[in-house]
Amino acid sequence: MVAFEQPHPHGALPPLAHLELPFFDDEHRALANRLAPWAASQEVDESDDRTACREWVRRLGADGWLRYCVAADHGGALPTLDSRALVILRETLAYHSPLADFAFAMQGLGSGALSLAGTPEQQTRYLPAVGRGEKIAAFALSEPDAGSDVAAMVTRATPSASGWTLNGCKTWISNGGLADFYLVFAKTDPDAGSRGISAFVVDADCTGLDSSEHLHVMAPHPLATLRFTDCAVTSDALVGPQQGGFKLAMKTLDIFRPSVAAAALGMARRAFAEAVAHAKSRKMFGQTLADFQLTQARLGEMGALIDAAAMLTYRAAWMRDRSATSGAGTAAYTAAAASAKLTATENAQKVIDMALQLFGGRGVQVGQVIEHLYRDIRSLRIYEGASEVQLLILGRHALKP
């Protein structure tokens, strides 16, 4: 099947009125106006998620969209990573194909640590190729017993004569078995908790790395378990300072957290558009579904949930870009990003569920847009910080002096 078999009922373009909000600059509006028709025109066979992801990376790279994942010094479109540009890209791509959004997002997340703390040699070797779609990136943080509790990771990196030797296991790794390189987090001081974590860039063909165990989930996309068995990397594989891996991982996730909210927002907007079109055309009891007050109330609730998520998402991205420019503290932004991620993903789940209910039996038919969205949205409430983790972040922020 192609990315969403049914044509969009309103001409294949998502709403763009929100771009007039003061959170965005003219360059962001220009980006959205270029991207929307491009995304609407793409047709990719997604029956095989791995083949489709490779094709999406190729297209996104060839047409310049992956340049927003890297800074201008390395072939990027903007001087630095820009959260508002990432939000626009992910919202628009997710509106048309959550798998396209996934392919884009992982290029940024998988290479983000190199953009933030890589050596000039590391940045030159990987980032231009990421921006062109010639190298696929992956972010390897989670382990079987260390997901939300990052400090519990047990993967070890021990010094060797030529660099480091990695042993351990990573799982739920997006682009696992597909990526050309992995940003791997491992303990270099096993007794120091989160302060003992370091980051390494590991090429996919490195001896001792096995990525053959693929994972299958309800909304197919490339996932795998990575096993490191005496995997030797040279000293120049270390990214950032030794024992600085935890902070680097959190900084990377902070940049991309509003964009996760944006992906959820894009899916919610698509479900809403599908629901409105269906309500107007569905004949029932001598009138249309849209004529019933209960339908109108439900659509009103969906619209309000989307607007609330949008305001928090755009505010968080604006705050991140503003703090990056001014060098201001990040505590307020971290809370804003958590609020955006929590609200947008939870609200999108509600909106899509309401849309499916309006479709009745058709809503659960495999291959329908709403059915596809219903499966795609669920994982966003878990990855890159589950909703419960976002609640803890917000609670702790509220209790600070």
Side-chain angles (χ1 to χ4, degrees):
M1 61 182 172
V2 297
F4 289 150
E5 290 177 344
Q6 300 177 7
H8 181 269
H10 301 303
L13 294 179
L16 298 175
H18 57 272
L19 294 170
E20 297 307 315
L21 291 168
F23 297 115
F24 298 108
D25 297 332
D26 287 343
E27 63 185 353
H28 299 115
R29 299 181 184 103
L31 165 62
N33 284 308
R34 294 195 313 272
L35 177 63
W38 180 89
S41 70
Q42 304 302 306
E43 291 188 0
V44 172
D45 182 344
E46 295 186 350
S47 55
D48 182 312
D49 57 293
R50 291 178 175 270
T51 301
C53 272
R54 286 191 184 278
E55 178 60 16
W56 276 120
V57 170
R58 187 193 68 77
R59 293 189 187 199
L60 290 163
D63 291 337
W65 306 115
L66 292 180
R67 293 176 61 227
Y68 289 91
C69 292
V70 298
D73 288 347
H74 310 292
L78 297 172
T80 60
L81 292 176
D82 184 277
S83 283
R84 286 170 293 174
L86 294 172
V87 158
I88 287 170
L89 279 147
R90 293 200 64 182
E91 179 180 339
T92 306
L93 291 172
Y95 184 92
H96 293 284
S97 166
L99 197 59
D101 162 65
F102 167 86
F104 173 84
M106 288 314 304
Q107 287 295 92
L109 184 64
S111 66
L114 292 171
S115 292
L116 291 172
T119 64
E121 292 76 17
Q122 289 171 338
Q123 292 174 338
T124 299
R125 181 178 177 185
Y126 294 101
L127 295 181
V130 166
R132 293 191 298 264
E134 295 169 1
K135 283 184 181 292
I136 295 178
F139 184 81
L141 181 65
S142 297
E143 297 186 2
D145 295 314
S148 298
D149 183 9
V150 176
M153 74 168 56
V154 295
T155 297
R156 290 284 309 276
T158 54
S160 68
S162 59
W164 300 88
T165 301
L166 276 63
N167 283 283
C169 176
K170 298 289 180 180
T171 195
W172 302 112
I173 306 306
S174 296
N175 277 346
L178 188 71
D180 296 291
F181 69 92
Y182 300 90
L183 208 296
V184 181
F185 296 87
K187 287 278 185 74
T188 46
D189 184 347
D191 299 320
S194 63
R195 296 181 180 179
I197 298 171
S198 300
F200 301 87
V201 58
V202 181
D203 289 327
D205 60 0
C206 189
T207 302
L209 168 57
D210 180 1
S211 61
S212 62
E213 185 181 335
H214 296 174
L215 304 174
H216 302 282
V217 290
M218 60 193 291
H221 63 276
L223 284 169
T225 293
L226 310 181
R227 300 189 185 280
F228 298 88
T229 305
D230 294 331
C231 179
V233 296
T234 55
S235 58
D236 59 4
L238 180 68
V239 180
Q242 189 172 329
Q243 267 81 270
F246 179 77
K247 288 185 178 179
L248 184 55
M250 295 305 105
K251 284 183 179 179
T252 305
L253 292 171
D254 258 1
I255 292 173
F256 287 92
R257 191 159 285 138
S259 77
V260 180
L265 183 59
M267 294 184 209
R269 289 197 192 279
R270 180 64 186 271
F272 184 65
E274 297 289 335
V276 169
H278 177 69
K280 288 179 177 179
S281 63
R282 176 74 164 94
K283 298 295 192 294
M284 185 179 289
F285 301 111
Q287 54 188 337
T288 66
L289 185 59
D291 293 321
F292 291 92
Q293 286 187 328
L294 188 58
T295 301
Q296 295 164 17
R298 185 65 72 223
L299 292 173
E301 184 179 0
M302 293 163 70
L305 288 169
I306 289 170
D307 281 348
M311 293 302 105
L312 290 174
T313 299
Y314 304 151
R315 181 191 70 162
W318 173 80
M319 287 177 68
R320 188 269 158 187
D321 290 341
R322 186 165 172 256
S323 66
T325 301
S326 65
T330 60
Y333 161 68
T334 297
S339 185
K341 204 271 185 181
L342 171 72
T343 303
T345 56
E346 294 290 335
N347 284 10
Q349 182 85 60
K350 294 174 186 175
V351 167
I352 293 168
D353 186 70
M354 291 177 192
L356 188 150
Q357 193 73 13
L358 286 174
F359 271 80
R362 282 182 58 198
V364 294
Q365 182 181 355
V366 174
Q368 295 288 317
V369 174
I370 295 299
E371 180 269 341
H372 200 303
L373 288 168
Y374 192 80
R375 289 185 288 107
D376 278 305
I377 190 58
R378 190 58 185 85
S379 63
L380 271 69
R381 293 168 58 202
I382 298 173
Y383 76 64
E384 291 189 42
S387 292
E388 291 76 12
V389 172
Q390 308 311 317
L391 287 168
L392 287 174
I393 292 171
L394 292 168
R396 289 167 181 165
H397 180 76
L399 291 171
K400 287 181 179 179

